[in-house]
Amino acid sequence: MKLTEAKAQFIASWGAFGSHWGINRTMAQIHALLMISPDPLTQDDIMEQLNISRGNVNMNIRELIDWALVDRVIVPGERKEYFSAEKDIWKVARLIVKERKKRELDPMLKLLDQLREVEGDKKDKNVKQFTDTVNGIKRFGEQADKMLEVLVKSDESWFIGSLMKFFK
Amino acid sequence: MKLTEAKAQFIASWGAFGSHWGINRTMAQIHALLMISPDPLTQDDIMEQLNISRGNVNMNIRELIDWALVDRVIVPGERKEYFSAEKDIWKVARLIVKERKKRELDPMLKLLDQLREVEGDKKDKNVKQFTDTVNGIKRFGEQADKMLEVLVKSDESWFIGSLMKFFK
DNA sequence: TAACTTTTTCAATCAATTTTGAAATTTCAG
DNA sequence: CTGAAATTTCAAAATTGATTGAAAAAGTTA
């Protein structure tokens, strides 16, 4: 397979993959393009290579910078801004987990806490099933939260090393 | 908080939460409703409680059954079909991981395998960055795959127990 | 400061996904 | 069988989310 074709495939799949994981298609494609580019790119490079508009590139680049997946790079003597992606996939995973935990898991756990205090007769099976379900999810969520926290804070070698042993 | 209000909030949030996790909003809401219902419900019950059309309920219920998150229940002496959700949240998590691993991770790993064999000069920095990136993601994906496999196969007590110890 | 380049914004448009609802099909009791 | 009840299908409509592009703002140089 030729590099050009391989690149196109990689970018397309990373985009599709990302869109299942809470990252929008274009944002993931830009990230993919930057991950396989040895040098930083400008907005115009990205527009051209992905065939998307300037506004689109700009918004999604900003979002990627928010997630800390992409950095602005200053190239001395150049007027334009350049961008480069975090290429260490473990770091990428940690950044994504960190961001999604903050945006989704934490608010959900907070809500579940409130919902546990529903008023009503404990003997009513509707109340019972509701609180049982909410409590179950809360406990599960707390476990997940703890694990993810460790993952986010870990460095690869330690994490992989320990886990490899753990899972035999 | 009243039960009615709490239910509405739970269903709405579970729907929003699910939509970030590859499960469509309505599908997640139906699942939420069934999780907090002590008894199985009919399509009409679901239509009424969530204010959605018959066709919508039907399609999403079928999808939930595909995922094994919901079962058809036969109520003796009743013509209508009843549905009930898996309520053990650990089992729910395992079913979701299993399905998404099959649908997303496995195909991605297969693609990455192909992309590793891109032809071209290893000295070309474009080729080098491409293969380095693809290889990195492949190795990471393989690790993730192994872990998830263990998770999918595990039973809760063992998994939680071991992990609790592991993460102190 | 003025002239020019680059970045950002956002209303309008476009695309993709979801939802509806009525018709077709299936199921089943009598 | 028959006919009413229940389920399924799917084209069209509605909704939601993504993208464009031109205008405004910000930044740079001389």
Side-chain angles (χ1 to χ4, degrees), chain A residues 43 55 58-59 62 79 81:
Chain A
Q43 289 201 1
N58 190 274
M59 288 175 121
R62 233 169 348 103
R79 180 87 169 264
E81 287 182 325

